[in-house]
């Protein structure tokens, strides 16, 4: 491949589109005639102001974010929002409902307990997180300040195939590993957040999309940098923002628009995932434990059932230029993260490697 690059199946930080890396590289020494790189520039400069405004506008356009929502670029990762969301939103009844469908949604509930009551509305833990609970299985409290879900479970490789109905209670979604992978109806959510390093940009920026009426009620203890209304008033520049990752969001979204937007991403991503899951389902060696209608389009997990063989698979795949297919350290097995930037050719190469591996290890 060009530049001797590999197919990188890492769950995050993960692949970025090559054309984006090339553009960033070309602009590194002298951004737009400024005589300096984005990384060296004052965030208060006119030039940078245009960069951040462009990135905000691009998120609004690409995701079709309604006017009554603000788009923030914060720091502290999605994990920072595990605390940021309760501090900003858990201020009515001081309780919220959590649907626990994997490790990150469990962590979100644990963190929220520091600030109020975290009710578990449903969990698929007894089934080892192999499915997403149905609407009728969610035990929702009518006075909860919000309902929290993780829309795509990066570690277990599952995803919500519906948006839960929560009545007047705002729905909050961690979309770290699926943001920009398909169109979503933002108006169904009170708040969406996502660390950028999976499908959007380098690590260092967290996108928060929040309905305006949910801002301005933060707990007095909320750090100013995590206070949505303070950051919204300051266009995410209450303090120095993660300048370079925000610039990269702009470039990635320019790429997505040029490729046909989120409809095109969805079509491509579903085709890539189908290729891989169809092979796994037909294979005698590999299997995927997730209920088929809940399978993630972004993170496909699979095992041989033999830990030693899994290990050998990962090593031999890496030697063949298919790197980081090892599953999360907490669950083992394999995981192929196939975000927007993973070309179809990468998934084809993985499938044909799996085919060969299976033949050679019968
Ligand atoms: C990676 C990930 C996180 C953690 O993100 P950090 O930026 O490391 O805090 C949280 N939620 C989901 C769904 C993730 O994929």
């Amino acid at each position: 491949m060009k530049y001797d690059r590999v197919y990188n199946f890492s769950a995050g930080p993960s692949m970025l589109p090559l054309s984006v890396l090339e553009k960033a590289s070309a602009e590194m020494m002298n951004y737009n005639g400024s005589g300096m790189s984005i990384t060296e520039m004052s965030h208060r400069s006119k030039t940078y102001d245009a960069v951040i405004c462009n990135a905000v506008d691009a998120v609004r356009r690409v995701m079709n974010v309604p006017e009554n929502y603000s788009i923030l670029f914060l720091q502290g990762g999605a994990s920072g929002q595990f605390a940021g969301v309760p501090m900003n939103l858990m201020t009515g009844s001081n309780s919220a409902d959590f649907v626990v469908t994997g490790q990150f949604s469990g962590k979100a509930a644990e963190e929220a307990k520091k600030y109020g009551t975290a009710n578990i509305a449903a969990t698929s833990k007894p089934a080892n997180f192999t499915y997403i609970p149905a609407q009728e299985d969610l035990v929702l409290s009518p006075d909860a300040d919000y309902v929290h879900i993780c829309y795509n479970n990066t570690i277990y490789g599952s995803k919500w195939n519906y948006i839960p109905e929560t009545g007047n209670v705002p729905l909050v979604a961690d979309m770290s590993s699926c943001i920009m992978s398909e169109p979503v109806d933002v108006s169904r959510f009170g708040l969406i957040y996502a660390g950028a390093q999976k499908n959007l940009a380098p690590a260092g920026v967290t996108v928060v999309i929040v309905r305006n009426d949910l801002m301005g009620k933060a707990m007095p203890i909320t750090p100013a940098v995590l206070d949505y209304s303070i950051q919204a008033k300051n266009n995410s520049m209450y303090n120095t923002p993660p300048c370079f990752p925000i610039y990269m969001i702009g470039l990635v979204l320019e790429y997505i628009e040029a490729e046909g937007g989120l409809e095109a991403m969805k079509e491509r991503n579903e085709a890539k995932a189908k290729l891989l899951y169809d092979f796994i389902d037909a294979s005698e060696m590999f299997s995927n434990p997730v209920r088929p209608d809940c399978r993630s389009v972004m993170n496909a997990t699979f095992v041989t059932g033999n830990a030693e063989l899994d290990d050998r698979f990962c090593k031999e795949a890496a030697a063949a230029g298919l790197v980081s297919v090892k599953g999360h350290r907490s669950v083992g097995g394999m995981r192929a993260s196939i975000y927007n930037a993973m070309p179809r050719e990468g998934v084809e190469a993985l499938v044909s490697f799996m085919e060969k591996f299976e033949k050679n290890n019968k």
Side-chain angles (χ1 to χ4, degrees):
M1 235 192 305
K2 207 173 172 189
Y3 308 109
D4 272 339
R5 284 168 62 81
V6 292
Y7 290 120
N8 171 13
F9 294 90
S10 168
S14 37
M15 278 182 95
L16 286 165
L18 186 58
S19 63
V20 167
L21 296 176
E22 284 176 330
K23 179 144 196 218
S25 157
E27 291 181 338
M28 184 55 94
M29 300 309 155
N30 184 344
Y31 176 74
N32 204 13
S34 64
M36 60 183 97
S37 75
I38 290 281
T39 58
E40 300 165 297
M41 185 180 292
S42 166
H43 60 292
R44 305 288 176 201
S45 64
K46 261 207 177 103
T47 308
Y48 192 75
D49 194 62
V51 169
I52 192 167
C53 289
N54 169 64
V56 170
D57 292 348
V59 171
R60 194 175 294 282
R61 246 185 355 258
V62 172
M63 283 186 77
N64 205 6
V65 178
E67 277 306 314
N68 60 324
Y69 286 72
S70 296
I71 295 160
L72 309 176
F73 296 136
L74 306 183
Q75 299 184 67
S79 304
Q81 292 309 311
F82 295 169
V85 172
M87 282 192 283
N88 279 274
L89 265 50
M90 221 191 227
T91 55
S93 63
N94 195 222
S95 72
D97 291 345
F98 290 80
V99 185
V100 176
T101 53
Q103 213 173 95
F104 290 118
S105 45
K107 281 186 173 170
E110 279 307 307
E111 187 75 4
K113 281 184 192 161
K114 296 177 185 171
Y115 306 100
T117 305
N119 307 310
I120 304 305
T123 176
S124 48
K125 187 162 196 234
N128 211 12
F129 298 124
T130 47
Y131 73 98
I132 302 294
Q135 174 81 50
E136 55 271 26
D137 296 331
L138 308 181
V139 182
L140 301 176
S141 344
D143 71 336
D145 288 327
Y146 59 92
V147 177
H148 181 279
I149 64 170
C150 179
Y151 207 50
N152 181 76
N153 298 285
T154 323
I155 294 173
Y156 292 90
S158 66
K159 91 174 277 261
W160 286 73
N161 60 14
Y162 71 99
I163 299 175
E165 191 48 67
T166 58
N168 288 328
V169 179
L171 178 62
V172 173
D174 177 356
M175 292 199 186
S176 294
S177 51
C178 59
I179 190 162
M180 306 292 174
S181 67
E182 61 175 0
V184 287
D185 180 356
V186 174
S187 73
R188 299 282 305 276
F189 299 86
L191 187 147
I192 291 168
Y193 65 91
Q197 70 272 22
K198 312 283 164 64
N199 204 23
L200 203 50
V205 61
T206 312
V207 179
V208 174
I209 301 170
V210 54
R211 214 173 64 208
N212 292 339
D213 64 288
L214 298 176
M215 291 195 286
K217 302 173 208 164
M219 294 178 183
I221 59 158
T222 308
V225 293
L226 283 179
D227 186 314
Y228 302 144
S229 63
I230 292 177
Q231 287 285 16
K233 273 188 210 114
N234 289 280
N235 196 25
S236 301
M237 294 198 282
Y238 171 76
N239 66 318
T240 314
C243 300
F244 188 75
I246 291 171
Y247 153 78
M248 290 291 284
I249 288 181
L251 294 190
V252 167
L253 293 181
E254 195 176 286
Y255 158 87
I256 289 177
E257 287 189 301
E259 296 288 311
L262 298 187
E263 289 291 351
M265 294 299 121
K266 176 183 167 80
E267 198 179 309
R268 251 192 239 180
N269 290 329
E270 286 180 348
K272 286 186 296 184
K274 182 173 183 331
L275 193 65
L276 187 48
Y277 286 125
D278 281 354
F279 172 77
I280 291 169
D281 288 342
S283 157
E284 282 171 24
M285 174 181 277
F286 300 102
S287 64
N288 167 286
V290 180
R291 209 174 73 193
D293 64 315
C294 303
R295 282 173 171 174
S296 170
V297 176
M298 298 277 96
N299 313 94
T301 55
F302 51 98
V303 292
T304 63
N306 170 340
E308 187 269 328
L309 201 57
D310 287 354
D311 206 44
R312 194 141 54 77
F313 177 88
C314 295
K315 284 194 184 117
E316 290 182 18
L322 307 165
V323 312
S324 293
V325 293
K326 201 170 158 52
H328 189 267
R329 61 189 185 280
S330 63
V331 296
M334 279 77 74
R335 169 178 54 177
S337 295
I338 50 177
Y339 301 117
N340 289 348
M342 172 61 68
R344 183 178 172 93
E345 294 74 38
V347 181
E348 286 169 353
L350 176 63
V351 166
S352 75
F353 177 82
M354 290 167 78
E355 221 163 8
K356 249 189 284 165
F357 187 88
E358 183 167 351
K359 256 192 214 126
N360 295 342
N361 293 279
K362 265 212 163 97

